[in-house]
Amino acid sequence: MQDKTTLRTESCSFAGIRPAMADLPYPPIQVSAKNPACASLLAIDYCGSVSELSAITQYINNENRISCENCPLAKTFLGIAMAEMMHLQKLGELIHLLGGAVSYAARQPNGHMRLWTPEYLTLADQAGKMIAANIEAEQAAIRQYQMHMKMIQDDHVNAVLARIIKDEEYHIFLLRSL
């Protein structure tokens, strides 16, 4: 009988994992002028219910829970999470340049500020359900970015959002291939 303290599980090595991104450069992070209203829209993309912060947290949670069972899937989740982290960073820069405050609160359609919450996440219990929930979240992010691009009259900001969409589309491709 083995002592429980000596039991080990096979570990999943994450050495060398790179962000899962489209092989395209990002446009420069710049804005035409300060615009707090645009900054508020980007804050929703930053930390709203459909946001980069939600995506990062959901992918990392999925990766943590699946890594001992399905290492290749866990590595894919981590690579996508890393790309989402880069999106979060770029949105934060844009929010700052637009004159907004980078925080974990986004203005809701009713005008109230709402702090990010893990209630925004879909934490499935099986690999297939995780993949399906992540595809749905990526599709929702694309729709939201497209809607925000129609509302934002800044070609510099919209160029960054269009480039982020390319990554989100690539994530859907990767997830569907699994």
Side-chain angles (χ1 to χ4, degrees):
M1 183 170 171
Q2 280 187 308
D3 180 355
K4 288 184 181 183
T5 59
T6 61
L7 290 178
R8 296 178 64 175
T9 59
E10 293 298 317
S11 66
C12 186
S13 173
F14 293 101
I17 299 296
R18 300 176 50 84
M21 301 170 52
D23 190 19
L24 299 166
Y26 273 89
I29 305 299
Q30 58 190 21
V31 300
S32 297
K34 288 195 181 287
N35 186 329
C38 287
S40 290
L41 284 175
L42 294 184
I44 294 168
D45 299 323
Y46 187 87
C47 67
S49 60
V50 175
S51 68
E52 298 299 337
L53 185 59
S54 293
I56 293 163
T57 308
Q58 184 163 306
Y59 279 114
I60 291 295
N61 182 276
N62 289 173
E63 176 270 314
N64 288 162
R65 290 186 300 127
I66 201 84
S67 64
C68 291
E69 299 168 26
N70 188 332
C71 188
L73 180 58
K75 288 180 178 185
T76 301
F77 286 161
L78 181 59
I80 294 172
M82 293 167 71
E84 306 293 6
M85 287 178 209
M86 294 177 70
H87 300 164
L88 186 76
Q89 188 276 331
K90 291 175 186 324
L91 291 173
E93 279 189 70
L94 288 171
I95 291 167
H96 175 76
L97 291 172
L98 289 164
V102 179
S103 69
Y104 293 117
R107 187 170 308 282
Q108 303 302 300
N110 63 9
H112 292 99
M113 295 296 279
R114 175 132 192 235
L115 286 174
W116 183 88
T117 172
E119 293 173 3
Y120 293 154
L121 307 179
T122 301
L123 301 177
D125 57 353
Q126 298 169 350
K129 290 180 181 178
M130 288 177 188
I131 292 168
N134 290 331
I135 289 171
E136 186 177 310
E138 295 285 358
Q139 291 169 333
I142 291 168
R143 287 190 301 273
Q144 182 169 286
Y145 280 127
Q146 290 169 335
M147 180 180 65
H148 288 173
M149 288 173 68
K150 290 176 184 172
M151 300 167 75
I152 295 172
Q153 302 301 311
D154 186 317
D155 291 339
H156 299 294
V157 173
N158 283 341
V160 175
L161 298 183
R163 175 57 187 82
I164 289 173
I165 288 172
K166 297 286 186 199
D167 286 340
E168 308 301 14
E169 292 169 339
Y170 180 61
H171 298 161
I172 291 170
F173 168 78
L174 287 174
L175 293 166
R176 284 187 174 152
S177 70
L178 296 169

